[in-house]
Amino acid sequence: DSGVTQTPKHLITATGQRVTLRCSPRSGDLSVYWYQQSLDQGLQFLIQYYNGEERAKGNILERFSAQQFPDLHSELNLSSLELGDSALYFCASSPWTSGSTDTQYFGPGTRLTVL
Amino acid sequence: GNSVTQMEGPVTLSEEAFLTINCTYTATGYPSLFWYVQYPGEGLQLLLKATKADDKGSNKGFEATYRKETTSFHLEKGSVQVSDSAVYFCALTPNQGGKLIFGQGTELSVKP
């Protein structure tokens, strides 16, 4: 158990809908990362938050947004869903004490299926 | 830009065989290098890491050495077990930290 929790575990929805994925980082970790894992794109970085502020952005679509709250949990919002958004979404956390040498600890993921 | 290339799978081995999964990277500066493992139906777990040239990361019998001259971080294990069957991902974080950049993953299947 990494200490990172994600809810829900599975999500099935229809095209055009909006969903929210939730992540709670490990105790003491200030930085949260979101990744998308799909068969065609592999594992791709979406966005990073540090202590409530957006720190880095990857290949995140404009239909997707995220935030990190004062209690450090994070939410990833996906809207106007398309079939191609079906994927496994991972959250990871790290303390962000040493930048590039930090280890990121991953949650179990949320499997999103768009029908 | 930064990228990671892994040998393609699936790799099928018999129990107690020697394992090598090749990983090479492209990066500016001095990235940190990682191997993560994903067991069926689970999230990613850190297997080992190395943060500077010539460092050797090791865990659970797996090893990998950070080779800057060949920009490689190959994963090895002397004797694999059925329980090692999983997908293995090589990854780096750039010099300035932040996001992990992953290779495409290598599926390992170990037969009894």
Side-chain angles (χ1 to χ4, degrees), chain B residues 48-94:
Chain B
L48 52 85
K49 75 178 194 182
T51 58
K52 60 183 189 298
D54 301 325
D55 264 3
K56 178 186 278 189
S58 60
N59 185 27
K60 300 181 183 179
F62 291 90
E63 291 182 341
T65 301
Y66 188 142
R67 301 280 187 210
K68 193 157 178 65
E69 63 277 12
T70 54
T71 61
S72 65
F73 193 54
H74 305 320
L75 182 69
E76 296 182 336
K77 187 175 185 184
S79 175
V80 293
Q81 305 300 311
V82 172
S83 57
D84 293 327
S85 298
V87 181
Y88 292 81
F89 291 92
C90 185
L92 67 82
T93 52

Side-chain angles (χ1 to χ4, degrees), chain A residues 8 22 27 33 37 41-42 44 48 66 70 72 77 90 104 108-109:
Chain A
R22 184 189 167 103
S27 177
Y33 311 77
Q37 185 179 31
Q41 304 271 6
Q44 293 218 315
Q48 177 197 0
L72 300 177
N77 300 296
F90 286 110
Q104 293 182 28

Side-chain angles (χ1 to χ4, degrees), chain B residues 6-42:
Chain B
Q6 287 179 239
M7 65 185 278
E8 288 195 21
V11 173
T12 302
L13 295 174
S14 298
E15 208 164 20
E16 299 183 4
F18 185 86
L19 168 72
T20 301
I21 300 178
N22 290 336
C23 170
T24 57
Y25 69 89
T26 302
T28 52
Y30 300 91
S32 291
L33 302 174
F34 303 82
W35 278 99
Y36 280 86
V37 58
Q38 186 175 29
Y39 296 101
E42 296 185 15

Side-chain angles (χ1 to χ4, degrees), chain A residues 55-99:
Chain A
R55 196 182 185 281
K57 235 174 181 175
N59 298 325
I60 188 165
L61 299 171
E62 283 192 16
R63 301 184 284 109
F64 295 2
S65 64
Q67 57 185 134
Q68 186 179 26
F69 294 86
D71 67 353
L72 300 177
H73 91 271
S74 177
E75 292 181 357
L76 179 67
N77 300 296
L78 315 176
S79 61
S80 303
L81 285 167
E82 301 175 359
L83 295 177
D85 297 328
S86 296
L88 199 46
Y89 290 85
F90 286 110
C91 168
S93 74
S94 76
W96 195 251
T97 52
S98 53

